[in-house]
Amino acid sequence: MSDNHPDPERYWRHRRRLAYTAMGALLFTLACALFAPVREATIPLIESLAWAFAVIVIGYYGNNAIEAFSRSKK
């Protein structure tokens, strides 16, 4: 049995879509927070959403950076 994924591009395509969706949601959340009236009770929710989206984006691009760095060392 092979250890390789049968279609690695499919896996990365889905991760890329998730990261781009999270970036869009992060920008949308930022725009809403800047241009719409924000009630004080919703500030913790907005902060939590922003952190969750940021973690997804950092995870995707951080993994890409680590892979690029490890390929250049070989």
Side-chain angles (χ1 to χ4, degrees):
M1 191 165 152
S2 175
D3 289 336
N4 294 333
H5 193 282
D7 186 9
E9 185 59 33
R10 179 177 154 206
Y11 173 73
W12 284 107
R13 190 176 325 121
H14 290 0
R15 286 194 58 177
R16 194 175 309 120
R17 286 181 188 154
L18 176 66
Y20 291 157
T21 303
M23 279 192 289
L26 190 57
L27 290 173
F28 179 74
T29 304
L30 176 64
C32 288
L34 290 176
F35 300 117
V38 177
R39 290 181 292 172
E40 193 157 339
T42 61
I43 291 175
L45 174 64
I46 292 171
E47 289 175 346
S48 300
L49 287 172
W51 277 108
F53 296 141
V55 165
I56 292 170
V57 172
I58 290 169
Y60 175 72
Y61 284 107
N63 191 24
N64 285 351
I66 290 169
E67 284 186 359
F69 182 74
S70 66
R71 270 190 246 132
S72 67
K73 289 291 187 179
K74 289 182 180 181

